Amino acid sequence: MITAAVVDDDRMLLDGLRSWLADVPQVRLVSAVATVDELLAGADGVVDVVLLDLVLRDASVPADNIRRLRAAGSRVLMISTVADRSRIVAAMAAGADGYLTKDHDLKTLVSAMEEVAAGGTVHSPELAFAWAHDKSPTRPRLSPKELQVLLDYASGLTLKSTARRAGISPNTAKYYLDRVKDKYQQAGRPAYTKIDLACRVREDGLGDGAEAWNRG
């Protein structure tokens, strides 16, 4: 059973989600409120997943909202109509676990909540687009050797084969790979496994012309 809360100042959306989630046996909606302050003040235990609107009318800062919810022990799935790429990227960097626009259906929403509750990250097309076009200073900048190691390893090669192709030792290849992972994690983008790295390559459009992309 996943406990969930919604923070959104659209009353129609709150009522709609109450109705939607009432028929989902694996999700229990415990709160539907307009502000993070209201949620935290009335919280009775840790909520597994909070559906958080990106921009609220109380003028709260999205990144602050995310950090407060994460500090309270909840994972955060952003839901919004806002397509501002910089805000989406900033929300992920602040610790959000995914982003969905509000035009998705119930099945997609529930799947996203299950993924987030299990410790994963929701990679919607909108989020991938925002990352691929991210021009912020915090966007991961990879050296040519880091990029080569990332592309070869994420394509399915072993670390030993990756090192051989790059003309370096396995220990050096691991050093470059660890640097790549660290840069993505500092940007709020998970890069723990080979699958994670393959997702980052796909999202960022790396490959042909990647060196020019990386230079920005």
Side-chain angles (χ1 to χ4, degrees):
M1 175 68 69
I2 299 169
T3 58
V6 185
V7 179
D8 198 301
D9 45 29
D10 183 334
R11 291 183 61 185
M12 292 180 66
L13 182 134
L14 292 180
D15 289 343
L17 284 175
R18 286 191 188 97
S19 177
W20 263 20
L21 296 175
D23 295 325
V24 179
Q26 66 269 40
V27 176
R28 180 167 65 92
L29 184 62
V30 297
S31 183
V33 294
T35 67
V36 170
D37 284 341
E38 189 177 352
L39 174 63
L40 295 179
D44 182 16
V46 176
V47 177
D48 295 326
V49 179
V50 177
L51 306 179
L52 175 65
D53 192 7
L54 185 58
V55 180
L56 298 170
R57 294 193 191 100
D58 66 350
S60 55
V61 178
D64 290 344
N65 286 336
I66 295 164
R67 294 187 188 103
R68 292 176 67 197
L69 292 170
R70 291 304 303 264
S74 298
R75 296 181 66 81
V76 181
L77 176 61
M78 306 301 297
I79 55 171
S80 183
T81 58
V82 175
D84 185 318
R85 295 194 298 267
S86 63
R87 283 182 171 177
I88 296 170
V89 170
M92 297 302 295
D97 300 289
Y99 173 90
L100 284 181
T101 53
K102 292 180 180 178
D103 57 355
H104 286 284
D105 58 19
L106 176 60
K107 181 179 179 181
T108 301
L109 176 63
V110 172
S111 294
M113 294 172 69
E114 290 174 330
E115 178 69 22
V116 167
T121 303
V122 175
H123 302 289
S124 65
E126 298 84 7
L127 178 54
F129 184 80
W131 270 331
H133 293 80
D134 180 22
K135 303 299 182 184
S136 69
T138 58
R139 187 183 74 180
R141 303 284 179 166
L142 308 181
S143 70
K145 190 62 73 174
E146 288 169 348
L147 180 62
Q148 180 184 1
V149 168
L150 168 61
L151 293 177
D152 288 342
Y153 184 73
S155 73
L157 294 181
T158 64
L159 187 62
K160 186 175 181 179
S161 296
T162 296
R164 186 183 304 117
R165 288 192 62 175
I168 56 180
S169 71
N171 284 340
T172 303
K174 183 178 184 303
Y175 167 77
Y176 283 125
L177 194 61
D178 286 343
R179 282 176 56 86
V180 170
K181 291 179 178 180
D182 184 62
K183 287 181 180 182
Y184 272 106
Q185 288 159 14
Q186 287 186 29
R189 303 172 65 183
Y192 300 102
T193 67
K194 183 175 288 191
I195 293 174
D196 288 338
L197 291 169
C199 288
R200 303 297 82 78
V201 168
R202 185 172 60 253
E203 291 162 356
D204 287 347
L206 298 178
D208 292 339
E211 290 83 357
W213 183 93
N214 237 342
R215 290 193 298 270

